[in-house]
Every structure is written in structure tokens, then in C-alpha cells.
Amino acid sequence: MSEILDRVAAVIDSRKGADPSTSYVAKLFDKGLDAILKKVGEEATETVMAAKDGDAKKVVYEVADLWFHSMIALSHFGLKPDDVLAELARREGLSGLAEFAARNQAQQQQ
């Protein structure tokens, strides 16, 4: 399934330098990080609202929008879906509480 993420990421990357008047993704990149993050926030809110409505199809639709805009944010930082998948793999099998405690300990050491 990560193949689709790789293909979408490649399209996003290819649009970085495209004409903002002809590409939605190029338009977001042209507007900068604040515009990208605003869209991520909007899509996160829409995902929550769809879930509160209890409409499973709408949840899937909104999560797809959230993932897409999150992938644009990843691309802004030169990151790929595989970076996120690697982090999820690192966390696999960890207790959520243990992972949270480890994160807090790392932050305290900084």
C-alpha cells in the first residue's frame, strides 16, 4: 500500500516548481509553510467533524485530504512517507505510555 503514498509523494515533489496558476500543490508551495500548515489544520478539523458526525465514508474522505496535505508538509521539509513509516515501525510493539515516557525523558535531556 505504500506504493500509492510513494506515487502521490512523487507528484507532490514534481509540482514544487510548477506554475502556481495551474497547480494547486504549486500554489500552496508558493504561498509558503504557513499556508501549507493552515490547510493541514483545516483538514484535521474537518476529519474531527466527520468523525463526530459518525459518517464513515466522510471520515475516509477527510482523512485522505489530511494525509495529502500532511504529505505536502513533509515534502516542504524534504521528507517522504517512508520517513513516517519508519517512525511507525520504530514505535511498533512499544506501549503508548512507554513511548510517551521516552519522549518526555528525551525532551528533558535537551
Side-chain angles (χ1 to χ4, degrees), residues 32-67:
L33 182 59
D34 284 349
I36 294 167
L37 297 177
K38 182 178 177 186
K39 283 304 296 181
V40 172
E42 287 174 12
E43 299 305 340
T45 299
E46 290 173 7
T47 299
V48 169
M49 290 169 39
K52 292 285 281 178
D53 290 345
D55 185 339
K57 286 180 99 171
K58 196 171 179 183
V59 169
V60 169
Y61 182 88
E62 295 301 342
V63 168
D65 281 350
L66 178 58
W67 284 14

Side-chain angles (χ1 to χ4, degrees), residues 60-90:
V60 169
Y61 182 88
E62 295 301 342
V63 168
D65 281 350
L66 178 58
W67 284 14
F68 179 76
H69 288 89
S70 295
M71 289 174 67
I72 294 172
L74 287 172
S75 180
H76 175 83
F77 290 101
L79 299 168
K80 303 279 184 208
D82 281 346
D83 296 308
V84 177
L85 295 175
E87 176 61 16
L88 289 171
R90 183 191 70 77

